[in-house]
Structure formats: C-alpha cells, structure tokens
C-alpha cells in the first residue's frame, strides 16, 4: 500500500519524507489556501521534495479551462499529477490528459458508479472521500469495498486512492480491502507509528540497558 500525505505544508512534507515511507503528496484548493503560498510555487517546492506523484487540482469548471490550467501545472515538474473533479467536464479532461500520458487523479468521488466512470476515462487514481461520507452517516469504507470489487472485474489500471482519511483505522481497513493508496493528513500518518506498549517497552529496555553501564559504540 502506498502512503501519500494530504497537505501543502512543505515543512511537514520534508519531515515525513525523511521517514522513507512517503510515496507521494495530494493537495486541493483548500490546502493550497491554507499554505498561504502561490499555487505554482508550492507545487514546485513539493515536487522537489518527493519523487512520487504530486496532485495539483485544477480550479476551472469547464473542459477548456481545465485543459489550459493542466498545461500550466504539467510544466512545473514531471511528477505532477493533474487532479480533476468528478464531473462530465472533469472526466473529459481526464480522458484527454490520460491519452497524452499524464497521470490524472479524479477527486470528489462518492459513489461506485462515479469510480467506474473515472476508470473508463483512464484515471491513474480515483479518490473516494471516506471521511466525508462517514460525516453524513454513510459508510465510507463500504464505498472502498464496492470500488475494489468492481475494479477487480476488469483490467483497469486505475488505483484506488483512499482520501478524506480521519484516523488510523481508516488506513487499516483500507489496507485490508487492498486499496492501492491512502492519502493521509500528517497527524494520521504520524499516529500509525504509535502504540503505548511500544513506548512502555522501550522505556523499560532503556532503563535496564542504562543499568548495565555499557555502550555499543
Ligand atoms: O484532499 C482530498 C481529501 O483528502 C480531503 O479530505 O479531510 O477535507 O475531507 P477532508
């Protein structure tokens, strides 16, 4: 399973990339706004930190506008993935860009039917938002299960990128379902490391080691 981080905070991305466990980055207009930086500048900074796909989302709503923005975003770096919304124009742009060899991330997916359309449009990634479904009392992880089942029936190359992740159990459940990627807020990625028994066990080992008075180097 690949881990992407869902942020435009370059300090966080640098810190998490140092773990060697980061496979890519996703951003959206809200995260860009939160960064307080110019869109093109911040995407260029992120692309210089990570080798994997960096999703940059178009802001236009129409096909021609999306294609014009995608042309600008593609020039930033080779690892830019163009993020388009799951609309008729977005999927039309996805098809054109995919045919041109561009990685496209189709975002704002909330149904298996939408995910099927994105795969047919040649998306590299489909982003179902599990947390936002859970927020309104629907089953976010159930959607992942349905998409995985559908995709396994066909030779689609589209990877399921679990988005709107709220906690570590979303990650574990997505991994059990075989989802290809999870994009995680930095706090969720850090939380994956944590267990109180790890901390307790390590403290006991270090106390016993200190009592030996030995050093390894
Ligand atoms: O970037 C897309 C998605 O991960 C957003 O998540 O937390 O705003 O629902 P959230």
């Amino acid at each position: 399973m690949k881990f992407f981080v869902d942020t435009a905070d370059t300090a966080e991305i640098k810190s998490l990339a140092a773990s060697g466990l980061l496979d890519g980055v996703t951003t959206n207009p809200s995260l860009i706004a939160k960064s307080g930086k110019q869109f093109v500048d911040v995407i260029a900074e992120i692309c210089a930190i990570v080798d994997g796909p960096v999703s940059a989302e178009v802001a236009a709503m129409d096909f021609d506008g999306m294609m014009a923005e995608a042309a600008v975003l593609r020039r930033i770096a080779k690892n830019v993935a163009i993020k388009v919304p799951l609309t008729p124009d977005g999927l039309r742009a996805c098809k054109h860009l995919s045919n041109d060899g561009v990685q496209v991330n189709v975002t704002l997916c909330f149904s298996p039917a939408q995910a099927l359309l994105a795969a047919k449009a040649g998306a590299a990634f489909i982003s179902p938002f599990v947390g936002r479904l859970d927020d309104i009392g629907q089953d976010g992880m159930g959607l992942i299960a349905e998409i995985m089942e559908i995709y396994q029936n066909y030779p689609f190359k589209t990877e399921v990128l679990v988005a709107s992740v709220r906690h570590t159990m979303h990650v574990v459940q997505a991994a059990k379902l075989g989802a290809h990627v999870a994009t995680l807020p930095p706090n969720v990625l850090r939380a994956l490391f944590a267990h109180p028994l790890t901390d307790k066990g390590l403290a006991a080992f270090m106390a016993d080691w200190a009592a030996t008075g030995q050093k390894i180097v």
Side-chain angles (χ1 to χ4, degrees):
M1 186 184 211
K2 286 179 248 185
F3 288 160
F4 291 178
V5 66
D6 196 30
T7 183
D9 180 332
T10 50
E12 281 280 30
I13 294 167
K14 266 186 205 150
S15 159
L16 292 165
S19 71
L21 301 175
L22 194 60
D23 302 297
V25 176
T26 52
T27 67
N28 62 38
S30 305
L31 294 170
I32 297 296
K34 199 171 160 192
S35 79
K37 296 181 183 172
Q38 287 296 306
F39 185 23
V40 168
D41 296 345
V42 73
I43 295 296
E45 276 182 55
I46 297 169
C47 288
I49 301 168
V50 296
D51 295 331
V54 175
S55 289
E57 187 163 342
V58 296
M61 303 283 281
D62 64 296
F63 171 77
D64 289 334
M66 288 181 193
M67 294 302 289
E69 291 179 356
V72 172
L73 298 172
R74 288 171 64 178
R75 279 199 292 272
I76 298 173
K78 280 190 181 155
N79 54 330
V80 169
I82 303 297
K83 204 170 176 188
V84 299
L86 209 153
T87 60
D89 282 59
L91 291 186
R92 186 177 163 207
C94 174
K95 183 78 180 166
H96 276 72
L97 291 165
S98 301
N99 284 348
D100 203 19
V102 178
Q103 286 204 311
V104 180
N105 178 356
V106 177
T107 190
L108 292 166
C109 171
F110 294 95
S111 80
Q114 290 179 320
L116 180 57
L117 290 175
K120 283 185 67 66
F125 304 104
I126 179 68
S127 290
F129 280 29
V130 294
R132 292 193 194 183
L133 281 170
D134 290 354
D135 289 346
I136 61 161
Q138 295 190 12
D139 182 7
M141 212 43 69
L143 173 60
I144 302 303
E146 283 190 281
I147 298 171
M148 291 303 297
E149 184 184 344
I150 290 168
Y151 281 14
Q152 277 155 17
N153 289 336
Y154 302 97
F156 293 139
K157 294 205 171 81
T158 308
E159 296 192 5
V160 177
L161 194 171
V162 180
S164 188
V165 168
R166 300 273 193 263
H167 48 69
T168 55
M169 284 314 295
H170 272 155
V171 184
V172 172
Q173 288 160 354
K176 282 183 173 177
L177 292 168
H180 309 84
V181 192
T183 189
L184 313 177
N187 65 314
V188 175
L189 187 41
R190 291 186 202 287
L192 291 178
F193 288 88
H195 197 287
L197 290 181
T198 303
D199 298 339
K200 188 179 170 191
L202 188 57
F205 285 157
M206 290 305 97
D208 290 342
W209 176 249
T212 70
Q214 297 180 51
K215 284 198 166 127
I216 298 172
V217 289

